[in-house]
Amino acid sequence: MKIVTYNVNGIKARLPRLIEYLTEQAPDVVCLQELKSSDETFPEADIRAAGYGALWHGQKGFNGVALLAKGVDPLERQRGLAGEADDEQSRYLEAEVFGVIVASIYLPNGNPQPGPKFDYKLRWIDRLNARAREILDEERPAVLAGDYNVIPDDDDVYSVRAMQDDALMQPESRAGFRRLVSQGWTDALRTRRPNGGVWTFWDYQAGAWQRDAGFRIDHLLLSPQAADRLIDADVDKEYRGREKASDHAPTWVRLR
């Protein structure tokens, strides 16, 4: 089973690239982020024509997450996170697919920091930690997949100095991610590529793609029951280099 996380950076703008990816790679499950689409304008017909069922939690103009599954409709378990009743941002969607609990996550960026956006990011991490603990307690195969907007370690970025003031690399952001992993989750890509130097994002600015000046912010965390089934994890990097591509590359885990 191939489970992919893919920040598409606007599903309507990237729809040809997404359909191309589904056709060429035929993943079993795809977690999408940054749809930038309302629920009403989500391209359901195109997704279904490509052979995928879908769930989505949209928001006009920004944010938005979705779950796609080959040949079936994911069974929704939860949308949004508890703990902040007035939070209207569409950033979390959880479902059961092929016997696995899968969540699509779009964690807040948090810039500029310090400030209210960074404070919201840290609160959101705490809320995700609470939900992740509940999922772990079910003792089932589970994958928390998404754009976490956290660079966990110095070897996950092309230049520590260039990103040292960014919210993605602040000690508080990293500590929140470490608390999550330390619950008992396995960072699939780190496990398979322990020496670092693996990027999932390259900015559109300053020739970042051409210089390979990227960093790793797209993660797939596995419950112990899923980690026992881990075969491989990697990045489909070449899709970042295609015409009108997202600034993220599809990142995946393969489970038995």
Side-chain angles (χ1 to χ4, degrees):
M1 180 189 301
K2 183 176 182 178
I3 300 175
V4 177
T5 182
Y6 192 6
N7 179 319
V8 291
N9 191 18
I11 193 166
K12 287 177 281 188
R14 315 293 170 207
L15 187 59
R17 297 287 78 80
L18 174 60
I19 299 301
E20 183 177 72
Y21 183 75
L22 297 177
T23 302
E24 293 178 1
Q25 296 295 326
D28 298 284
V29 180
V30 183
C31 300
L32 302 177
Q33 301 87 37
E34 208 170 353
L35 303 179
K36 300 181 181 179
S37 168
S38 67
D39 282 341
E40 294 74 22
T41 57
F42 182 84
E44 179 183 8
D46 298 278
I47 299 295
R48 292 196 179 279
Y52 285 78
L55 286 175
W56 59 94
H57 182 27
Q59 186 173 345
K60 184 178 181 180
F62 56 103
N63 300 329
V65 286
L67 279 158
L68 315 183
K70 186 165 61 175
V72 301
D73 287 328
L75 179 62
E76 183 173 331
R77 287 169 46 100
Q78 180 170 315
R79 59 180 56 209
L81 292 172
E84 204 157 326
D86 60 349
D87 185 4
E88 297 181 349
Q89 297 192 25
S90 300
R91 294 183 174 275
Y92 184 88
L93 186 61
E94 178 188 310
E96 182 165 337
V97 191
F98 304 126
V100 179
I101 299 168
V102 182
S104 182
I105 294 164
Y106 183 40
L107 202 144
N109 177 283
N111 284 303
Q113 68 83 29
K117 290 187 176 180
F118 189 61
D119 295 340
Y120 172 66
K121 178 192 187 91
L122 298 182
R123 294 196 309 273
W124 207 95
I125 292 175
D126 288 341
R127 292 160 60 200
L128 176 61
N129 269 266
R131 179 56 186 158
R133 169 56 63 190
E134 293 173 345
I135 295 172
L136 271 185
D137 287 344
E138 296 187 47
E139 298 185 352
R140 295 183 54 200
V143 181
L144 306 182
D147 175 0
Y148 282 72
N149 272 313
V150 176
I151 299 169
D153 298 291
D154 286 354
D155 61 4
D156 289 317
V157 61
Y158 75 99
S159 168
V160 171
R161 182 177 180 180
M163 295 295 293
Q164 64 185 354
D165 295 325
D166 197 283
L168 278 62
M169 261 187 60
Q170 294 312 296
E172 300 91 336
S173 304
R174 288 179 159 184
F177 185 81
R178 284 197 300 271
R179 286 196 303 273
L180 177 60
V181 174
S182 67
Q183 290 181 356
W185 298 92
T186 293
D187 181 343
L189 194 55
R190 170 60 72 173
T191 298
R192 296 298 297 167
R193 304 288 293 277
N195 295 326
V198 180
W199 320 142
T200 67
F201 171 90
W202 297 259
D203 198 277
Y204 290 130
Q205 306 299 317
W209 169 249
Q210 291 76 11
R211 296 185 295 116
D212 198 28
F215 40 85
R216 185 173 79 101
I217 55 175
D218 302 274
H219 310 303
L220 299 112
L221 303 187
L222 312 181
S223 70
Q225 294 76 16
D228 285 345
R229 297 163 57 178
L230 174 62
I231 298 172
D232 201 2
D234 210 340
V235 183
D236 285 331
K237 181 178 177 179
E238 67 102 350
Y239 286 88
R240 171 61 180 86
R242 298 195 180 188
E243 184 179 359
K244 297 182 179 178
S246 171
D247 43 9
H248 295 249
T251 304
W252 53 267
V253 63
R254 195 179 300 278
L255 306 178
R256 286 190 301 274

